[in-house]
Amino acid sequence: MTDKELIKAIKNNDQQAFKQFVENNQQLVVNICNGFLHNIADAEDITQDVFIEVFLSINKFKEDAKLSTWLYRIAVNKSLNHIRDNKKHKILNSIDNIKDPDKKMEKELPDVNNSQPEKIIEEKERSQILQYSINSLAKNQKIAFTLNKYDELSYKKIAEIMDISLSSVESLIHRAKKNLQRKLFKFYKKN
Amino acid sequence: MKCKKVNKNLIFYIDGDLSLKQNKEIEEHLSHCKKCSMLYNEIKLSLSVIENEKGIETNPYLYTRIKQRLEDINERSTNPVFAIQQKKLFQPVLVSFLIALGIFIGVSIGNNYPLQENNIADTPSEQYYINDLQQEHVEYFLLNNE
Ligand SMILES: [Zn+2]
């Protein structure tokens, strides 16, 4: 089924076509959301919202545009809005909660059975520092970097989703990496 | 290559964004500079956590849930119309009732208190009297302080 046929089918309330569309794209949408949210349950919730929005607003969609680009754009926007509106993510974005080992890490201690608890704590902490650093990038750098790194989307696809030129994507990702490295160095020097 | 230049390029080195020549220079530098290779390891470890978050398997019930939610939305979108219609009917009735109630209360209060002009005239003078006392009290207090 081409995009055009698919859109027409969804507009005609063809449930089977919509189901197929969800199943073909859910994997990538969940991963896009998780790239921003770093929480699988949240990513799945937002993924549901994304497909519901597609279904409800399919009539506004221009048939000559690319359906997947539109879908991924909705996924990015919904994820960013969720971060903006959600307290849990705000806490995560606060630097104090990352580097206070007694406060945060103890609660999330891994099972006793695990053979390498220290390694897991270290990894968890690393992951939080990385998330904090990525989240503190300028918005467009963050979007481009996340789509490229977490979702392995091509620069061309990212350019389509963000509606900017290919060279802008290159420049955004270059600056994102440079800034990210600087932010990470700061953490290492502090500790 | 100097440490500063190597540090600046570590993330690009790890991502394979550099030219062959730059790659070799950094490799060479890392082999003998302990400080830079420590930073290199840190950055590499940090970026490697991204790999752990990739490729999440989706919940097999995702479509079922979406379908359920769409059905709920459908149901609700029929109910609100009914609710609004009820509201539209109810509001004028409520407003008329409140107006009628207001008139009724006004009339009954008027009937229960026949004109007593003396009473109305007396009350303000009592209030003035009380106010005078209070003012005196404040002045007295101020004078004492001086
Ligand atoms: Zn060095």
Side-chain angles (χ1 to χ4, degrees), chain B residues 2-49:
Chain B
K2 283 183 179 159
C3 288
K4 203 175 167 190
K5 201 180 170 195
V6 171
N7 283 350
K8 251 185 166 175
N9 282 304
L10 281 175
I11 195 165
F12 301 108
Y13 172 70
I14 291 163
D15 274 358
D17 296 337
L18 300 177
S19 70
L20 263 175
K21 188 178 166 249
Q22 283 172 309
N23 260 347
K24 272 210 162 144
E25 281 173 347
I26 291 181
E27 218 169 281
E28 207 272 321
H29 182 96
L30 291 179
S31 69
H32 63 77
C33 177
K34 220 174 174 182
K35 216 176 122 199
C36 285
S37 53
M38 219 176 74
L39 278 177
Y40 162 76
N41 279 327
E42 289 285 350
I43 288 260
K44 205 178 155 91
L45 276 171
S46 289
L47 292 176
S48 73
V49 299

Short mmCIF file of all heavy atoms in Angstrom, two decimals, chain B residues 2-49:
data_model
loop_
_atom_site.label_atom_id
_atom_site.label_comp_id
_atom_site.label_asym_id
_atom_site.label_seq_id
_atom_site.Cartn_x
_atom_site.Cartn_y
_atom_site.Cartn_z
N LYS B 2 48.42 18.61 20.13
CA LYS B 2 48.49 18.97 21.55
C LYS B 2 47.24 18.46 22.28
O LYS B 2 46.18 18.25 21.66
CB LYS B 2 48.58 20.49 21.68
CG LYS B 2 49.97 20.98 21.36
CD LYS B 2 50.07 22.49 21.57
CE LYS B 2 51.50 22.94 21.28
NZ LYS B 2 51.58 24.37 20.97
N CYS B 3 47.37 18.35 23.61
CA CYS B 3 46.26 17.84 24.43
C CYS B 3 44.96 18.58 24.15
O CYS B 3 43.90 17.97 24.01
CB CYS B 3 46.60 17.96 25.91
SG CYS B 3 47.84 16.80 26.44
N LYS B 4 45.05 19.91 24.06
CA LYS B 4 43.85 20.70 23.91
C LYS B 4 43.10 20.33 22.63
O LYS B 4 41.87 20.20 22.62
CB LYS B 4 44.23 22.19 23.89
CG LYS B 4 43.07 23.08 24.29
CD LYS B 4 43.48 24.53 24.39
CE LYS B 4 42.24 25.40 24.47
NZ LYS B 4 42.58 26.81 24.33
N LYS B 5 43.85 20.19 21.57
CA LYS B 5 43.23 19.86 20.29
C LYS B 5 42.65 18.43 20.31
O LYS B 5 41.58 18.17 19.76
CB LYS B 5 44.25 20.01 19.15
CG LYS B 5 43.56 20.17 17.81
CD LYS B 5 44.53 20.33 16.68
CE LYS B 5 43.78 20.23 15.35
NZ LYS B 5 44.71 20.02 14.23
N VAL B 6 43.36 17.54 20.98
CA VAL B 6 42.87 16.16 21.09
C VAL B 6 41.56 16.14 21.88
O VAL B 6 40.56 15.54 21.46
CB VAL B 6 43.93 15.26 21.78
CG1 VAL B 6 43.35 13.89 22.11
CG2 VAL B 6 45.15 15.11 20.89
N ASN B 7 41.56 16.84 23.01
CA ASN B 7 40.35 16.89 23.85
C ASN B 7 39.13 17.39 23.08
O ASN B 7 38.03 16.87 23.23
CB ASN B 7 40.56 17.83 25.04
CG ASN B 7 41.40 17.16 26.11
OD1 ASN B 7 41.64 15.94 26.03
ND2 ASN B 7 41.85 17.90 27.09
N LYS B 8 39.37 18.40 22.27
CA LYS B 8 38.29 19.00 21.51
C LYS B 8 37.67 18.01 20.53
O LYS B 8 36.49 18.13 20.18
CB LYS B 8 38.84 20.18 20.71
CG LYS B 8 38.39 21.53 21.21
CD LYS B 8 38.91 22.58 20.27
CE LYS B 8 38.25 23.91 20.46
NZ LYS B 8 38.88 24.93 19.60
N ASN B 9 38.48 17.06 20.08
CA ASN B 9 38.02 16.18 19.01
C ASN B 9 37.67 14.76 19.45
O ASN B 9 37.33 13.93 18.62
CB ASN B 9 39.08 16.11 17.91
CG ASN B 9 39.04 17.35 17.05
OD1 ASN B 9 38.00 17.67 16.47
ND2 ASN B 9 40.15 18.06 16.98
N LEU B 10 37.73 14.52 20.76
CA LEU B 10 37.53 13.13 21.21
C LEU B 10 36.18 12.56 20.78
O LEU B 10 36.09 11.44 20.30
CB LEU B 10 37.68 13.05 22.74
CG LEU B 10 39.12 13.05 23.25
CD1 LEU B 10 39.16 13.09 24.77
CD2 LEU B 10 39.89 11.83 22.73
N ILE B 11 35.12 13.34 20.95
CA ILE B 11 33.78 12.83 20.64
C ILE B 11 33.66 12.53 19.14
O ILE B 11 33.02 11.56 18.73
CB ILE B 11 32.67 13.80 21.13
CG1 ILE B 11 31.32 13.08 21.13
CG2 ILE B 11 32.61 15.07 20.31
CD1 ILE B 11 30.23 13.80 21.91
N PHE B 12 34.33 13.35 18.32
CA PHE B 12 34.28 13.12 16.87
C PHE B 12 35.15 11.92 16.50
O PHE B 12 34.83 11.17 15.57
CB PHE B 12 34.74 14.38 16.13
CG PHE B 12 33.88 15.58 16.45
CD1 PHE B 12 34.35 16.62 17.23
CD2 PHE B 12 32.57 15.64 15.99
CE1 PHE B 12 33.55 17.71 17.54
CE2 PHE B 12 31.75 16.73 16.29
CZ PHE B 12 32.25 17.76 17.07
N TYR B 13 36.21 11.74 17.24
CA TYR B 13 37.07 10.57 17.04
C TYR B 13 36.28 9.29 17.35
O TYR B 13 36.28 8.34 16.57
CB TYR B 13 38.30 10.70 17.96
CG TYR B 13 39.20 9.48 18.01
CD1 TYR B 13 39.97 9.12 16.91
CD2 TYR B 13 39.29 8.71 19.17
CE1 TYR B 13 40.80 8.00 16.96
CE2 TYR B 13 40.11 7.60 19.23
CZ TYR B 13 40.86 7.25 18.12
OH TYR B 13 41.69 6.15 18.18
N ILE B 14 35.58 9.30 18.46
CA ILE B 14 34.79 8.12 18.85
C ILE B 14 33.70 7.84 17.82
O ILE B 14 33.43 6.68 17.48
CB ILE B 14 34.17 8.33 20.25
CG1 ILE B 14 35.27 8.31 21.32
CG2 ILE B 14 33.12 7.28 20.57
CD1 ILE B 14 34.86 8.91 22.65
N ASP B 15 33.08 8.89 17.30
CA ASP B 15 32.00 8.71 16.33
C ASP B 15 32.49 8.44 14.91
O ASP B 15 31.66 8.25 14.01
CB ASP B 15 31.10 9.95 16.34
CG ASP B 15 30.03 9.85 17.42
OD1 ASP B 15 29.99 8.82 18.11
OD2 ASP B 15 29.23 10.80 17.56
N GLY B 16 33.79 8.47 14.74
CA GLY B 16 34.32 8.21 13.39
C GLY B 16 34.05 9.34 12.41
O GLY B 16 33.87 9.10 11.22
N ASP B 17 34.01 10.57 12.92
CA ASP B 17 33.71 11.71 12.05
C ASP B 17 34.97 12.35 11.46
O ASP B 17 34.88 13.27 10.66
CB ASP B 17 32.97 12.81 12.84
CG ASP B 17 31.61 12.34 13.34
OD1 ASP B 17 31.07 11.40 12.73
OD2 ASP B 17 31.10 12.91 14.32
N LEU B 18 36.16 11.87 11.86
CA LEU B 18 37.39 12.58 11.48
C LEU B 18 38.05 11.95 10.25
O LEU B 18 37.72 10.83 9.85
CB LEU B 18 38.38 12.57 12.66
CG LEU B 18 37.90 13.23 13.95
CD1 LEU B 18 38.95 13.07 15.04
CD2 LEU B 18 37.59 14.70 13.73
N SER B 19 38.97 12.69 9.69
CA SER B 19 39.72 12.15 8.56
C SER B 19 40.71 11.09 9.05
O SER B 19 41.03 11.03 10.24
CB SER B 19 40.48 13.27 7.86
OG SER B 19 41.53 13.71 8.71
N LEU B 20 41.20 10.30 8.12
CA LEU B 20 42.15 9.24 8.48
C LEU B 20 43.38 9.81 9.18
O LEU B 20 43.88 9.25 10.16
CB LEU B 20 42.59 8.51 7.21
CG LEU B 20 41.85 7.20 6.91
CD1 LEU B 20 42.28 6.65 5.57
CD2 LEU B 20 42.09 6.16 8.01
N LYS B 21 43.83 10.94 8.64
CA LYS B 21 45.04 11.57 9.16
C LYS B 21 44.82 12.02 10.61
O LYS B 21 45.63 11.72 11.50
CB LYS B 21 45.40 12.78 8.28
CG LYS B 21 46.73 13.38 8.61
CD LYS B 21 47.06 14.54 7.67
CE LYS B 21 48.21 15.35 8.21
NZ LYS B 21 47.79 16.69 8.66
N GLN B 22 43.68 12.68 10.86
CA GLN B 22 43.37 13.14 12.22
C GLN B 22 43.22 11.95 13.16
O GLN B 22 43.69 11.97 14.29
CB GLN B 22 42.08 13.96 12.22
CG GLN B 22 42.25 15.37 11.69
CD GLN B 22 40.90 16.05 11.55
OE1 GLN B 22 39.97 15.51 10.94
NE2 GLN B 22 40.78 17.24 12.12
N ASN B 23 42.58 10.91 12.66
CA ASN B 23 42.40 9.70 13.45
C ASN B 23 43.74 9.16 13.95
O ASN B 23 43.89 8.82 15.12
CB ASN B 23 41.73 8.62 12.60
CG ASN B 23 40.25 8.52 12.89
OD1 ASN B 23 39.76 9.08 13.87
ND2 ASN B 23 39.53 7.81 12.04
N LYS B 24 44.67 9.09 13.02
CA LYS B 24 45.99 8.53 13.35
C LYS B 24 46.70 9.39 14.38
O LYS B 24 47.32 8.87 15.31
CB LYS B 24 46.83 8.42 12.08
CG LYS B 24 46.62 7.09 11.37
CD LYS B 24 47.89 6.69 10.62
CE LYS B 24 47.82 5.20 10.31
NZ LYS B 24 48.42 4.91 9.00
N GLU B 25 46.60 10.71 14.20
CA GLU B 25 47.28 11.62 15.12
C GLU B 25 46.73 11.46 16.54
O GLU B 25 47.49 11.45 17.50
CB GLU B 25 47.09 13.07 14.65
CG GLU B 25 48.03 13.44 13.50
CD GLU B 25 47.72 14.82 12.92
OE1 GLU B 25 46.64 15.39 13.23
OE2 GLU B 25 48.55 15.32 12.16
N ILE B 26 45.41 11.35 16.62
CA ILE B 26 44.80 11.21 17.95
C ILE B 26 45.17 9.87 18.57
O ILE B 26 45.55 9.77 19.75
CB ILE B 26 43.27 11.39 17.87
CG1 ILE B 26 42.95 12.86 17.55
CG2 ILE B 26 42.60 10.99 19.19
CD1 ILE B 26 41.48 13.18 17.47
N GLU B 27 45.09 8.85 17.77
CA GLU B 27 45.47 7.51 18.23
C GLU B 27 46.88 7.53 18.82
O GLU B 27 47.13 7.00 19.90
CB GLU B 27 45.45 6.57 17.02
CG GLU B 27 44.92 5.17 17.32
CD GLU B 27 44.68 4.43 16.02
OE1 GLU B 27 43.65 4.68 15.36
OE2 GLU B 27 45.57 3.64 15.65
N GLU B 28 47.75 8.17 18.08
CA GLU B 28 49.17 8.24 18.48
C GLU B 28 49.30 8.98 19.81
O GLU B 28 49.97 8.54 20.74
CB GLU B 28 49.96 8.94 17.37
CG GLU B 28 51.41 8.54 17.28
CD GLU B 28 52.28 9.42 18.18
OE1 GLU B 28 52.00 10.64 18.27
OE2 GLU B 28 53.20 8.88 18.81
N HIS B 29 48.57 10.10 19.92
CA HIS B 29 48.62 10.90 21.13
C HIS B 29 48.08 10.12 22.34
O HIS B 29 48.68 10.14 23.42
CB HIS B 29 47.82 12.20 20.96
CG HIS B 29 47.86 13.10 22.15
ND1 HIS B 29 48.75 14.15 22.26
CD2 HIS B 29 47.12 13.10 23.30
CE1 HIS B 29 48.56 14.75 23.42
NE2 HIS B 29 47.57 14.14 24.07
N LEU B 30 46.98 9.43 22.12
CA LEU B 30 46.37 8.68 23.23
C LEU B 30 47.28 7.57 23.74
O LEU B 30 47.23 7.21 24.92
CB LEU B 30 45.02 8.08 22.79
CG LEU B 30 43.88 9.07 22.53
CD1 LEU B 30 42.62 8.33 22.08
CD2 LEU B 30 43.56 9.88 23.78
N SER B 31 48.11 7.05 22.86
CA SER B 31 48.97 5.94 23.25
C SER B 31 50.02 6.36 24.28
O SER B 31 50.54 5.53 25.01
CB SER B 31 49.63 5.32 22.01
OG SER B 31 50.56 6.24 21.50
N HIS B 32 50.33 7.65 24.34
CA HIS B 32 51.34 8.06 25.33
C HIS B 32 50.84 9.09 26.35
O HIS B 32 51.50 9.34 27.35
CB HIS B 32 52.62 8.57 24.64
CG HIS B 32 52.41 9.79 23.80
ND1 HIS B 32 52.27 11.03 24.34
CD2 HIS B 32 52.31 9.94 22.46
CE1 HIS B 32 52.08 11.90 23.37
NE2 HIS B 32 52.10 11.27 22.22
N CYS B 33 49.65 9.70 26.11
CA CYS B 33 49.16 10.71 27.06
C CYS B 33 48.09 10.12 27.97
O CYS B 33 46.99 9.77 27.52
CB CYS B 33 48.63 11.94 26.33
SG CYS B 33 47.94 13.15 27.47
N LYS B 34 48.45 9.99 29.25
CA LYS B 34 47.54 9.35 30.19
C LYS B 34 46.29 10.16 30.45
O LYS B 34 45.18 9.64 30.55
CB LYS B 34 48.28 9.12 31.52
CG LYS B 34 47.95 7.78 32.15
CD LYS B 34 48.80 7.56 33.36
CE LYS B 34 48.34 6.27 34.05
NZ LYS B 34 49.11 6.03 35.28
N LYS B 35 46.49 11.49 30.54
CA LYS B 35 45.37 12.38 30.85
C LYS B 35 44.30 12.34 29.74
O LYS B 35 43.10 12.22 30.02
CB LYS B 35 45.90 13.81 31.00
CG LYS B 35 45.19 14.62 32.06
CD LYS B 35 45.84 15.98 32.22
CE LYS B 35 44.81 17.07 31.95
NZ LYS B 35 45.46 18.37 31.66
N CYS B 36 44.75 12.41 28.53
CA CYS B 36 43.80 12.40 27.41
C CYS B 36 43.13 11.04 27.26
O CYS B 36 41.94 10.97 26.96
CB CYS B 36 44.50 12.78 26.10
SG CYS B 36 44.84 14.52 25.98
N SER B 37 43.89 9.97 27.47
CA SER B 37 43.25 8.67 27.28
C SER B 37 42.24 8.38 28.39
O SER B 37 41.27 7.65 28.18
CB SER B 37 44.29 7.54 27.16
OG SER B 37 45.17 7.57 28.23
N MET B 38 42.45 9.03 29.57
CA MET B 38 41.45 8.88 30.62
C MET B 38 40.13 9.57 30.21
O MET B 38 39.05 9.00 30.35
CB MET B 38 41.96 9.51 31.91
CG MET B 38 41.60 8.74 33.15
SD MET B 38 42.34 9.48 34.61
CE MET B 38 41.33 10.93 34.81
N LEU B 39 40.26 10.78 29.69
CA LEU B 39 39.07 11.49 29.21
C LEU B 39 38.39 10.73 28.06
O LEU B 39 37.16 10.65 27.99
CB LEU B 39 39.45 12.90 28.73
CG LEU B 39 39.59 13.97 29.80
CD1 LEU B 39 40.05 15.28 29.18
CD2 LEU B 39 38.26 14.18 30.53
N TYR B 40 39.23 10.17 27.21
CA TYR B 40 38.69 9.39 26.08
C TYR B 40 37.83 8.22 26.61
O TYR B 40 36.72 7.99 26.13
CB TYR B 40 39.85 8.87 25.22
CG TYR B 40 39.51 7.73 24.31
CD1 TYR B 40 38.79 7.96 23.14
CD2 TYR B 40 39.88 6.42 24.62
CE1 TYR B 40 38.45 6.90 22.29
CE2 TYR B 40 39.55 5.37 23.78
CZ TYR B 40 38.83 5.61 22.62
OH TYR B 40 38.49 4.58 21.79
N ASN B 41 38.35 7.53 27.61
CA ASN B 41 37.60 6.39 28.17
C ASN B 41 36.27 6.83 28.79
O ASN B 41 35.26 6.16 28.63
CB ASN B 41 38.44 5.67 29.23
CG ASN B 41 39.42 4.71 28.59
OD1 ASN B 41 39.12 4.13 27.53
ND2 ASN B 41 40.59 4.55 29.19
N GLU B 42 36.34 7.96 29.50
CA GLU B 42 35.12 8.47 30.13
C GLU B 42 34.04 8.78 29.09
O GLU B 42 32.89 8.37 29.22
CB GLU B 42 35.42 9.74 30.93
CG GLU B 42 36.23 9.52 32.19
CD GLU B 42 35.41 8.89 33.31
OE1 GLU B 42 34.18 8.80 33.18
OE2 GLU B 42 36.00 8.47 34.33
N ILE B 43 34.45 9.52 28.06
CA ILE B 43 33.49 9.91 27.02
C ILE B 43 32.94 8.67 26.33
O ILE B 43 31.73 8.56 26.07
CB ILE B 43 34.18 10.81 25.98
CG1 ILE B 43 34.45 12.18 26.59
CG2 ILE B 43 33.35 10.93 24.71
CD1 ILE B 43 33.46 13.24 26.20
N LYS B 44 33.82 7.74 26.05
CA LYS B 44 33.39 6.53 25.35
C LYS B 44 32.38 5.73 26.18
O LYS B 44 31.35 5.29 25.68
CB LYS B 44 34.61 5.66 25.03
CG LYS B 44 34.39 4.75 23.84
CD LYS B 44 35.63 3.95 23.53
CE LYS B 44 35.25 2.68 22.81
NZ LYS B 44 35.22 2.76 21.36
N LEU B 45 32.66 5.63 27.48
CA LEU B 45 31.73 4.92 28.37
C LEU B 45 30.39 5.64 28.45
O LEU B 45 29.33 5.01 28.43
CB LEU B 45 32.33 4.79 29.77
CG LEU B 45 33.29 3.62 30.00
CD1 LEU B 45 33.96 3.75 31.37
CD2 LEU B 45 32.52 2.30 29.93
N SER B 46 30.45 6.97 28.56
CA SER B 46 29.20 7.74 28.65
C SER B 46 28.35 7.55 27.41
O SER B 46 27.14 7.34 27.50
CB SER B 46 29.51 9.23 28.82
OG SER B 46 30.03 9.45 30.10
N LEU B 47 28.98 7.63 26.24
CA LEU B 47 28.21 7.50 25.01
C LEU B 47 27.69 6.08 24.82
O LEU B 47 26.67 5.86 24.18
CB LEU B 47 29.06 7.91 23.80
CG LEU B 47 29.40 9.40 23.72
CD1 LEU B 47 30.32 9.66 22.55
CD2 LEU B 47 28.14 10.25 23.59
N SER B 48 28.39 5.12 25.42
CA SER B 48 27.98 3.73 25.22
C SER B 48 26.65 3.42 25.91
O SER B 48 25.96 2.48 25.53
CB SER B 48 29.06 2.77 25.73
OG SER B 48 29.06 2.77 27.14
N VAL B 49 26.26 4.25 26.90
CA VAL B 49 24.97 3.97 27.55
C VAL B 49 23.81 4.20 26.59
O VAL B 49 22.71 3.68 26.78
CB VAL B 49 24.74 4.77 28.86
CG1 VAL B 49 25.80 4.44 29.89
CG2 VAL B 49 24.66 6.24 28.60
#
